[in-house]
Amino acid sequence: MSTKTEALRALKDFLEEHGLRFAVIGGLANTVWGRPRFTYDADVKVLLGDLGIDEFGVLVGQRFSFR
């Protein structure tokens, strides 16, 4: 499994653990469900529900490191 696939799976698992709805868009999604592109980015749209953006940031920071 590629590093990109592993990273996307880790993000998917994290979002599902917290009951957050999401959609993957961008280069990787387009490669799987559309026509291949030159970029392999993975943009993710997350519906936060009752969570505020600051709360979501804290949650993400507990699992992943920020650049």
Side-chain angles (χ1 to χ4, degrees), residues 22-66:
F22 63 95
V24 178
I25 54 180
L28 281 176
N30 201 42
T31 298
V32 173
W33 292 289
R35 287 179 282 159
R37 291 179 31 187
F38 293 109
T39 62
Y40 294 102
D41 60 324
D43 303 309
V44 180
K45 176 75 172 182
V46 179
L47 299 177
L48 298 180
D50 294 333
L51 272 181
I53 190 70
D54 292 337
E55 294 170 295
F56 180 68
V58 169
L59 238 120
V60 170
Q62 291 171 353
R63 174 77 65 89
F64 304 102
S65 51
F66 294 103

Side-chain angles (χ1 to χ4, degrees), residues 11-13 15-16 20-24 44-47:
L11 179 60
K12 176 196 85 71
D13 291 345
L15 294 171
E16 287 178 347
L20 296 170
R21 295 175 51 197
F22 63 95
V24 178
V44 180
K45 176 75 172 182
V46 179
L47 299 177

